[in-house]
Amino acid sequence: MDGIPGKVVIARGRATARLQSTELLRELILGGTLAPGQRLNEVELAAQFSMSRGPIRESLQTLAAEGLVTIRSHKGTFVKTFTKDELANLYEVRLVLEAYACRQAALRRTDAEAEVLGGLLDLTRQRLATEGVFLYENDFHLQILAMTHNDVLANQGRYLLVQMALARSRSASSAERSKAALEEHQAVLEAICDKNDAHAADLMERHLGKSYENARRTLEPTLDAADPSGTSG
Amino acid sequence: MDGIPGKVVIARGRATARLQSTELLRELILGGTLAPGQRLNEVELAAQFSMSRGPIRESLQTLAAEGLVTIRSHKGTFVKTFTKDELANLYEVRLVLEAYACRQAALRRTDAEAEVLGGLLDLTRQRLATEGVFLYENDFHLQILAMTHNDVLANQGRYLLVQMALARSRSASSAERSKAALEEHQAVLEAICDKNDAHAADLMERHLGKSYENARRTLEPTLDAADPSGTSG
DNA sequence: TAACAGTTGACTGTTGACAATCACGTCGTT
DNA sequence: AACGACGTGATTGTCAACAGTCAACTGTTA
């Protein structure tokens, strides 16, 4: 647990301790501060978050159900680790779900939503040009999911995005891949603006296929090495 | 909370109190003992399960993340209720996911798995003929999901099945619909046995479409009346 | 009678203490 | 030296008590 530098100060608004710790832990895990496989010590977390173990334990239950951590009875809680097979499974489902979402987004979008998507892409292009960083990719996909106006679909898609962010947290994207991904996003945007649903779905499918290829190539070969968090608890 | 008759006796094996109460609550909710919208009193549950509020609260966190209950801060926990829109959204995603699952199951199935599916159907037919009950429908769909050999896909599908079971807990199926559903299942089975993936997917899509039609027609018109569990916590 | 402030009871949120379990190191035996 | 029983410290699991919040009830006032 030496991944967390010091005590975390919480702005005690009106949210409960449980909700705060849930959010905080989610950020620490998805931000990479808490690495996959790392053990989460309840006492230490409680001290760092300035609360007792009760709310911490309740948060860990939530995160376990969300698939971000694995709880092993009497052993401890660990940040979830992924094997290459699991990554492949995630991509397979994501391909199906997001291609469909893209199709429906093209059909159901409002003009305002399409503009938001375009603005997101402009921002990405700008920061890629000036700073060389490729950002807001997840936001792009989330916005498309929102444009389906189907909360169930959006939630399932978001789950897959989050899982993948964690599974790929040790992989990298080259500058070339970033540029290509941006262009693929641009093409998807245009198809959605044209309300060309079949084309939009096809473009998204190709985009995710290439993304998977890149992920598989750049992943650390140790991805499915010994898993300290085990399988069940 | 008068839905639960008396104290529930727990066979104290080696499972933790939290795991036992999670499983128990899941069964009570999906079995209909705890009806949608009903409030879950932590103190009463703790007494009935012969444990303290700690494990109960942790279980409720898990069930909330699974979408079976809704927690409202300082208000209480309620069995999740559904609106007609949510049911429509569930069916839309289920159609996409299960049609794809059926296609892949046809391609990836082992002979043993196909036999299990057939046995399930035989059992259903038998009990429908002798007792007039239509059972094991969910097991049929779960088996197909398992035959995709993709755990992510199977889990997402199972989530939708569970949600739908809860959303439809106040709807009914006529004897005619049961008979038709059985025949539709039979057709799906045959397509999977023939490894005819396109046909299998198509049949599943039609089957779920008809299932939705039936659900919409037979649902109590009060489904999206005032929601006592509110929207968020 | 209607509206409002204060009170009260029930419930959830949180805490610290205790019990149970596990991993690891130590010691003795073969 | 290798192996296994044992003890020990650390960590999770559970509990009971306390604190905070909310909703309903009461009584008062215009």
Side-chain angles (χ1 to χ4, degrees):
Chain A
M1 277 290 307
D2 43 35
I4 304 179
K7 180 175 285 191
V8 179
V9 180
I10 296 178
R12 286 250 174 189
R14 205 164 66 260
T16 63
R18 157 171 49 88
L19 292 174
Q20 291 176 341
S21 80
T22 303
E23 198 172 338
L24 215 35
L25 281 169
R26 232 196 311 258
E27 286 172 12
L28 290 172
I29 291 171
L30 293 177
T33 305
L34 299 170
Q38 183 169 347
R39 181 174 187 169
L40 302 182
N41 184 310
E42 296 175 3
V43 178
E44 287 185 30
L45 288 175
Q48 276 156 351
F49 293 178
S50 302
M51 56 183 74
S52 69
R53 284 173 54 217
I56 299 288
R57 285 177 60 84
E58 292 176 8
S59 290
L60 292 177
Q61 287 301 317
T62 297
L63 296 176
E66 288 178 5
L68 292 183
V69 303
T70 304
I71 299 177
R72 303 176 62 195
S73 295
H74 302 294
K75 301 281 178 62
T77 302
F78 305 81
V79 179
K80 183 163 177 182
T81 58
F82 293 85
T83 65
K84 281 183 180 170
D85 280 352
E86 282 173 276
L87 183 66
N89 286 341
L90 283 169
Y91 261 106
E92 185 185 354
V93 181
R94 193 179 165 190
L95 211 82
V96 176
L97 224 54
E98 285 211 44
Y100 178 80
C102 209
R103 174 188 304 273
Q104 296 304 322
L107 295 174
R108 299 174 187 167
R109 68 166 180 80
T110 65
D111 290 349
E113 286 169 340
E115 277 179 35
V116 170
L117 196 66
L120 222 46
L121 225 52
D122 287 341
L123 205 59
T124 303
R125 191 183 352 264
Q126 192 176 335
R127 299 201 61 174
L128 182 60
T130 60
E131 305 167 57
V133 293
F134 185 56
L135 297 172
Y136 313 119
E137 166 147 44
N138 269 12
D139 298 274
F140 181 82
H141 288 274
L142 285 172
Q143 174 65 13
I144 290 178
L145 287 169
M147 287 157 76
T148 64
H149 297 274
N150 181 331
D151 287 347
V152 176
L153 180 54
N155 282 333
Q156 296 248 19
R158 181 171 48 198
Y159 169 83
L160 294 172
L161 278 170
V162 167
Q163 288 283 298
M164 209 158 285
L166 190 53
R168 294 191 55 186
S169 65
R170 286 292 182 274
S171 85
S173 286
S174 66
E176 293 84 48
R177 176 61 203 144
S178 296
K179 214 178 138 199
L182 178 59
E183 283 169 17
E184 289 159 22
H185 279 197
Q186 179 68 37
V188 168
L189 168 67
E190 285 167 12
I192 289 179
C193 284
D194 294 346
K195 301 197 175 182
N196 188 339
D197 59 317
H199 194 212
D202 185 54
L203 287 171
M204 177 59 84
E205 203 166 319
R206 288 163 193 261
H207 168 57
L208 289 175
K210 289 180 186 172
S211 169
Y212 176 49
E213 276 308 308
N214 179 73
R216 236 185 17 169
R217 262 186 291 115
T218 65
L219 264 181
E220 288 180 355
T222 59
L223 185 63
D224 43 15
D227 180 356
S229 74
T231 52
S232 74
Chain B
M1 279 289 309
D2 42 36
I4 304 180
K7 181 175 288 193
V8 179
V9 180
I10 296 178
R12 286 249 175 190
R14 204 164 68 261
T16 63
R18 157 171 49 88
L19 292 175
Q20 291 176 340
S21 79
T22 303
E23 198 172 338
L24 215 36
L25 280 170
R26 232 195 311 257
E27 286 173 12
L28 290 173
I29 291 171
L30 293 178
T33 305
L34 299 170
Q38 182 169 347
R39 181 175 188 168
L40 303 181
N41 184 312
E42 296 175 3
V43 178
E44 286 185 31
L45 289 175
Q48 275 156 351
F49 293 178
S50 302
M51 57 183 74
S52 70
R53 285 172 56 218
I56 299 287
R57 284 178 59 85
E58 292 176 7
S59 291
L60 292 178
Q61 288 299 317
T62 297
L63 296 176
E66 289 178 5
L68 292 183
V69 302
T70 303
I71 299 177
R72 302 175 63 195
S73 294
H74 302 294
K75 300 282 178 62
T77 302
F78 306 81
V79 179
K80 183 163 177 182
T81 58
F82 293 84
T83 65
K84 281 183 180 170
D85 279 351
E86 282 174 274
L87 183 66
N89 286 341
L90 283 168
Y91 260 108
E92 184 185 355
V93 180
R94 192 178 165 192
L95 211 83
V96 176
L97 224 54
E98 285 210 46
Y100 178 80
C102 208
R103 174 189 303 274
Q104 296 305 321
L107 295 174
R108 299 175 187 167
R109 69 168 180 79
T110 66
D111 290 348
E113 287 169 338
E115 277 180 35
V116 170
L117 196 66
L120 222 46
L121 224 53
D122 287 342
L123 205 59
T124 302
R125 191 181 354 262
Q126 193 178 335
R127 299 202 60 175
L128 183 60
T130 59
E131 304 167 57
V133 293
F134 185 55
L135 298 172
Y136 314 118
E137 166 147 47
N138 268 11
D139 297 274
F140 181 82
H141 289 273
L142 284 172
Q143 174 65 13
I144 290 178
L145 287 169
M147 289 159 75
T148 64
H149 299 275
N150 181 332
D151 287 346
V152 176
L153 180 54
N155 283 333
Q156 297 249 19
R158 180 171 49 196
Y159 168 83
L160 294 173
L161 278 170
V162 167
Q163 289 282 297
M164 209 159 285
L166 191 54
R168 294 190 55 186
S169 63
R170 287 292 183 272
S171 85
S173 286
S174 66
E176 292 85 48
R177 175 63 202 142
S178 296
K179 214 178 139 201
L182 179 59
E183 284 170 17
E184 288 159 23
H185 279 198
Q186 180 67 38
V188 168
L189 168 67
E190 286 167 11
I192 288 179
C193 285
D194 294 347
K195 301 197 176 183
N196 188 339
D197 59 318
H199 194 210
D202 186 54
L203 287 170
M204 177 58 84
E205 204 166 318
R206 289 164 191 260
H207 168 58
L208 289 175
K210 289 180 185 172
S211 170
Y212 176 49
E213 275 307 307
N214 179 72
R216 236 182 20 165
R217 260 186 294 116
T218 64
L219 263 181
E220 289 181 355
T222 59
L223 184 61
D224 43 14
D227 180 353
S229 74
T231 52
S232 74

